[in-house]
Amino acid sequence: MRTVADPDAPAGLHVDEARLWSRLMDLAEIGATARGGVCRLALTETDIEARQLLIGWARDLGLAVFTDEISNLFFRLEGRDRNAPPVMTGSHIDSQPTGGKFDGAYGVLAGFEAVQSLQAAGITPEVPVEIVVWLNEEGSRFSPGMMGSEAFTGRRPVDEILAVTDAEGVSTETALAAVRARFAGLPELPLQRPVSAYVEAHIEQGPVLEERGYPVGAVTGMQGSRRFRVRLTGAEAHAGTEPMATRRDALFAANDVIRSLRDHFAGFDDRMKFTVGLFEVAPNVPSVVPASVLFSIDLRHPDQSVLTAAGDAIADLCQRHARLCSAEVRELANAESLVFPDWLVDLVSEAAAELSIPCLRLLSLAGHDARQLHYHCPSVMLFVPCHKGISHNEAESCTPGDLANGARVLANVLARLSASPLALPERTEAPPGSNAKK
Ligand code: HGY
Ligand code: MN
Ligand code: MN
């Protein structure tokens, strides 16, 4: 077994499990919830506090700190070739309202641990290495998510992102301006700048690694997902006087529409995932017939043709089952299934083998910022187990050992990718219509 004493010991051997766990717990304090999770929504005071904490840690490591016009954060370990496009690693620090300590945060802090391991191994990379914090991956306040990585890669126009409003009517533009003012002194880098490669570490958010007994996963690709909003419009009426037959009851219409969608999607194989997570009724008072319902649809499947066919049926189903109400269907995002470059997935597997860490190749059923970077530069992910696959839930939990193993593999991957300039990646052309706002 090789040790850190070996001059050419893999950088990953310098990972410090306790240090990584301690940083994760410190970050989890920010937005901590009473049930052991985190609520750290994008562009809120908790997001700002978390950024301040990370900037302090980055400066302690001697990393240069940058931002951009959409408030992504970049912590840069300089390379011998300062002009070479950086190798990037990172994830997000915003959470779901009932999120866990590790979703997103792990990818950023595994990046810190991996870079600190490169430093401990005395490695000066040829190519700069940057840890990135993407703005608003989750999209739980400003929808859809992945705003930082979409703006960075040019996959969604910035003005479209700035125009999005939250439930209180606050625009992304207003909330972003307040955050940018708090970090006014940070030097800015342009959007869409070249990147040599992107590697994102993340918890699996599924049960496979834990069930199969693998400490690390090399992620082969990501299933496609389509996001919609459906608005059903009827008319307010008196709960005591309006006859049942003439009511334009938007809630009863929503009940029929959602039932018809459930029946339709149940007709596909069990890889189809259909979720209605957001549901708003107006005027939402006991003695008025509901006039308006707004609900979300999150639809996912690994087979692109199935996802296309299933998603394209939604508008017609809504119209047909809306009863006396009108139905308006808007698609917010359409992200295709994708496959990461084989050579990069192999590199993750090889880096794990170098450390004698068993590694399983698997597909990501969750969405991640790597989805956007995939069309900008060669990208890949590595997963670590989370207990029973529980995530987007305050009970999300991981073991310090698994988290450290993922950081060890990440350190080795970064060491190899940054050791010499990669041929500037030709960009993978995005499929037509993906991510397009209908
Ligand atoms: O929804 C997702 O797949 C991601 O965890 N935000
Ligand atoms: Mn995530
Ligand atoms: Mn998430």
Side-chain angles (χ1 to χ4, degrees):
M1 177 72 177
R2 298 172 77 171
T3 69
V4 290
D6 300 357
D8 59 351
L13 289 183
H14 293 269
V15 160
D16 181 324
E17 176 179 316
R19 180 173 61 198
L20 173 57
W21 184 258
S22 164
R23 284 197 177 120
L24 278 161
M25 292 308 108
D26 287 349
L27 180 55
E29 282 301 308
I30 301 175
T33 62
R35 296 197 301 172
V38 293
C39 176
R40 201 166 46 229
L41 305 189
L43 298 175
T44 60
E45 203 49 45
T46 51
D47 188 6
I48 289 170
E49 206 185 318
R51 288 160 175 265
Q52 289 164 337
L53 179 67
L54 294 176
I55 290 169
W57 285 342
R59 287 182 170 144
D60 292 347
L61 291 180
L63 306 180
V65 179
F66 299 94
T67 187
D68 62 20
E69 66 177 273
I70 201 78
S71 273
N72 293 315
L73 281 178
F74 306 94
F75 307 128
R76 182 181 170 103
L77 175 67
E78 201 48 84
R80 280 193 289 271
D81 179 356
R82 308 169 68 92
N83 301 317
V87 170
M88 272 190 188
T89 186
S91 192
H92 59 94
I93 55 172
D94 68 295
S95 77
Q96 294 290 345
T98 53
K101 297 185 179 76
F102 305 100
D103 178 358
Y106 171 63
V108 173
L109 295 180
F112 269 82
E113 192 53 41
V115 164
Q116 197 160 354
S117 302
L118 295 182
Q119 293 174 320
I123 294 172
T124 303
E126 177 65 23
V127 172
V129 177
E130 289 183 9
I131 303 159
V132 56
V133 177
W134 299 117
L135 173 78
N136 188 27
E137 187 276 343
E138 296 288 10
S140 33
R141 178 186 177 197
F142 297 105
S143 265
M146 299 193 194
M147 287 183 167
S149 53
E150 285 188 323
F152 179 83
T153 56
R155 289 178 48 71
R156 192 180 291 273
V158 172
D159 58 1
E160 192 179 304
I161 288 170
L162 299 180
V164 172
T165 56
D166 68 6
E168 274 68 54
V170 176
S171 71
T172 309
E173 183 169 23
T174 304
L176 185 64
V179 170
R180 282 167 61 75
R182 299 280 286 274
F183 297 96
L186 288 185
E188 289 203 3
L189 293 172
L191 299 177
Q192 301 194 48
R193 61 193 167 98
V195 176
S196 289
Y198 176 74
V199 189
E200 180 168 354
H202 205 285
I203 59 172
E204 181 198 337
Q205 298 179 299
V208 174
L209 290 177
E210 186 182 59
E211 281 175 358
R212 301 276 300 274
Y214 281 87
V216 164
V219 182
T220 56
M222 203 177 294
Q223 74 171 344
S225 69
R226 298 181 69 174
R227 320 275 170 129
F228 301 83
R229 292 291 184 275
V230 178
R231 181 176 294 283
L232 298 167
T233 306
E236 285 90 349
H238 193 296
T241 58
E242 181 66 27
M244 293 306 285
T246 54
R247 292 180 177 201
R248 296 181 56 220
D249 185 327
L251 189 131
F252 283 10
N255 179 59
D256 289 0
V257 164
I258 292 170
R259 179 74 261 173
S260 73
L261 291 169
R262 287 180 64 187
D263 294 344
H264 177 69
F265 297 130
F268 292 86
D269 65 61
D270 61 3
R271 294 177 298 166
M272 180 66 73
K273 303 288 188 328
F274 165 58
T275 310
V276 175
L278 176 146
F279 191 92
E280 294 169 358
V281 189
N284 201 29
V285 290
S287 300
V288 176
V289 173
S292 163
V293 163
L294 174 73
F295 67 85
S296 65
I297 293 176
D298 180 325
L299 189 69
R300 309 197 197 191
H301 195 282
D303 181 323
Q304 192 52 43
S305 59
V306 172
L307 181 64
T308 301
D312 289 356
I314 288 173
D316 179 54
L317 283 165
C318 291
Q319 305 299 349
R320 280 195 286 124
H321 294 275
R323 301 158 71 109
L324 298 178
C325 297
S326 64
E328 178 207 348
V329 179
R330 200 159 54 91
E331 185 160 19
L332 295 187
N334 178 353
E336 307 240 337
S337 281
L338 61 87
V339 176
F340 292 127
D342 238 3
W343 68 270
L344 253 183
V345 182
D346 289 345
L347 200 151
V348 172
S349 305
E350 288 154 19
E354 228 178 355
L355 294 157
S356 311
I357 297 174
C359 178
L360 178 71
R361 294 167 90 101
L362 77 167
L363 179 74
S364 176
L365 300 185
H368 304 283
D369 291 301
R371 162 187 300 295
Q372 312 303 339
L373 275 291
H374 172 68
Y375 299 105
H376 188 73
C377 65
S379 299
V380 74
M381 294 188 75
L382 70 88
F383 277 170
V384 294
C386 57
H387 187 48
K388 293 198 173 109
I390 295 170
S391 186
H392 284 193
N393 180 311
E394 292 161 291
E396 183 182 274
S397 74
C398 300
T399 69
D402 284 342
L403 298 171
N405 271 333
R408 291 188 180 97
V409 175
L410 179 65
N412 280 17
V413 170
L414 295 178
R416 291 175 65 165
L417 286 174
S418 62
S420 57
L422 290 163
L424 243 195
E426 68 290 338
R427 291 172 62 149
T428 317
E429 272 320 302
S434 66
N435 259 31
K437 184 175 175 306
K438 295 281 186 267

PDB file of all heavy atoms in Angstrom, residues 92 103-104 137-138 202 205 368, ligand 2:
ATOM      1  N   HIS A  92     -22.835  23.114  -6.102  1.00  0.00           N
ATOM      2  CA  HIS A  92     -23.673  24.251  -5.641  1.00  0.00           C
ATOM      3  C   HIS A  92     -23.764  24.254  -4.121  1.00  0.00           C
ATOM      4  O   HIS A  92     -23.523  23.237  -3.470  1.00  0.00           O
ATOM      5  CB  HIS A  92     -25.083  24.150  -6.247  1.00  0.00           C
ATOM      6  CG  HIS A  92     -25.812  22.874  -5.890  1.00  0.00           C
ATOM      7  ND1 HIS A  92     -26.681  22.774  -4.832  1.00  0.00           N
ATOM      8  CD2 HIS A  92     -25.762  21.640  -6.445  1.00  0.00           C
ATOM      9  CE1 HIS A  92     -27.162  21.538  -4.757  1.00  0.00           C
ATOM     10  NE2 HIS A  92     -26.612  20.820  -5.709  1.00  0.00           N
ATOM     11  N   ASP A 103     -26.003  17.508  -0.333  1.00  0.00           N
ATOM     12  CA  ASP A 103     -26.373  17.772  -1.725  1.00  0.00           C
ATOM     13  C   ASP A 103     -25.745  19.096  -2.169  1.00  0.00           C
ATOM     14  O   ASP A 103     -26.048  20.141  -1.623  1.00  0.00           O
ATOM     15  CB  ASP A 103     -27.907  17.845  -1.825  1.00  0.00           C
ATOM     16  CG  ASP A 103     -28.402  18.168  -3.223  1.00  0.00           C
ATOM     17  OD1 ASP A 103     -27.567  18.377  -4.139  1.00  0.00           O
ATOM     18  OD2 ASP A 103     -29.631  18.207  -3.405  1.00  0.00           O
ATOM     19  N   GLY A 104     -24.817  19.008  -3.107  1.00  0.00           N
ATOM     20  CA  GLY A 104     -24.137  20.219  -3.609  1.00  0.00           C
ATOM     21  C   GLY A 104     -22.930  20.578  -2.769  1.00  0.00           C
ATOM     22  O   GLY A 104     -21.794  20.634  -3.262  1.00  0.00           O
ATOM     23  N   GLU A 137     -28.480  26.103  -8.257  1.00  0.00           N
ATOM     24  CA  GLU A 137     -28.661  24.831  -8.989  1.00  0.00           C
ATOM     25  C   GLU A 137     -30.063  24.296  -8.740  1.00  0.00           C
ATOM     26  O   GLU A 137     -30.697  23.741  -9.643  1.00  0.00           O
ATOM     27  CB  GLU A 137     -27.616  23.816  -8.510  1.00  0.00           C
ATOM     28  CG  GLU A 137     -27.591  22.515  -9.311  1.00  0.00           C
ATOM     29  CD  GLU A 137     -28.623  21.496  -8.835  1.00  0.00           C
ATOM     30  OE1 GLU A 137     -29.131  21.649  -7.703  1.00  0.00           O
ATOM     31  OE2 GLU A 137     -28.940  20.574  -9.603  1.00  0.00           O
ATOM     32  N   GLU A 138     -30.566  24.447  -7.516  1.00  0.00           N
ATOM     33  CA  GLU A 138     -31.803  23.743  -7.148  1.00  0.00           C
ATOM     34  C   GLU A 138     -33.061  24.367  -7.769  1.00  0.00           C
ATOM     35  O   GLU A 138     -34.032  23.663  -8.022  1.00  0.00           O
ATOM     36  CB  GLU A 138     -31.968  23.726  -5.620  1.00  0.00           C
ATOM     37  CG  GLU A 138     -30.899  22.956  -4.885  1.00  0.00           C
ATOM     38  CD  GLU A 138     -31.025  21.444  -5.063  1.00  0.00           C
ATOM     39  OE1 GLU A 138     -31.823  21.000  -5.897  1.00  0.00           O
ATOM     40  OE2 GLU A 138     -30.296  20.700  -4.390  1.00  0.00           O
ATOM     41  N   HIS A 202     -20.433  14.433  -6.207  1.00  0.00           N
ATOM     42  CA  HIS A 202     -21.783  14.631  -5.661  1.00  0.00           C
ATOM     43  C   HIS A 202     -22.221  13.360  -4.948  1.00  0.00           C
ATOM     44  O   HIS A 202     -21.731  12.265  -5.242  1.00  0.00           O
ATOM     45  CB  HIS A 202     -22.764  14.950  -6.801  1.00  0.00           C
ATOM     46  CG  HIS A 202     -23.969  15.729  -6.380  1.00  0.00           C
ATOM     47  ND1 HIS A 202     -25.010  15.178  -5.682  1.00  0.00           N
ATOM     48  CD2 HIS A 202     -24.295  17.037  -6.536  1.00  0.00           C
ATOM     49  CE1 HIS A 202     -25.932  16.104  -5.453  1.00  0.00           C
ATOM     50  NE2 HIS A 202     -25.532  17.240  -5.948  1.00  0.00           N
ATOM     51  N   GLN A 205     -27.620  10.371  -4.373  1.00  0.00           N
ATOM     52  CA  GLN A 205     -29.054  10.688  -4.223  1.00  0.00           C
ATOM     53  C   GLN A 205     -29.909   9.510  -4.701  1.00  0.00           C
ATOM     54  O   GLN A 205     -31.054   9.676  -5.107  1.00  0.00           O
ATOM     55  CB  GLN A 205     -29.434  11.968  -4.991  1.00  0.00           C
ATOM     56  CG  GLN A 205     -28.693  13.202  -4.472  1.00  0.00           C
ATOM     57  CD  GLN A 205     -29.034  14.472  -5.214  1.00  0.00           C
ATOM     58  OE1 GLN A 205     -28.809  14.567  -6.423  1.00  0.00           O
ATOM     59  NE2 GLN A 205     -29.532  15.471  -4.517  1.00  0.00           N
ATOM     60  N   HIS A 368     -27.684  17.699 -12.477  1.00  0.00           N
ATOM     61  CA  HIS A 368     -26.551  18.423 -11.870  1.00  0.00           C
ATOM     62  C   HIS A 368     -26.004  19.440 -12.863  1.00  0.00           C
ATOM     63  O   HIS A 368     -26.233  19.319 -14.085  1.00  0.00           O
ATOM     64  CB  HIS A 368     -25.441  17.431 -11.498  1.00  0.00           C
ATOM     65  CG  HIS A 368     -25.900  16.333 -10.593  1.00  0.00           C
ATOM     66  ND1 HIS A 368     -26.110  16.511  -9.245  1.00  0.00           N
ATOM     67  CD2 HIS A 368     -26.218  15.039 -10.845  1.00  0.00           C
ATOM     68  CE1 HIS A 368     -26.530  15.384  -8.712  1.00  0.00           C
ATOM     69  NE2 HIS A 368     -26.626  14.471  -9.663  1.00  0.00           N
TER      70      HIS A 368
HETATM   71 MN    MN B   2     -27.254  18.746  -6.166  1.00  0.00          MN
END
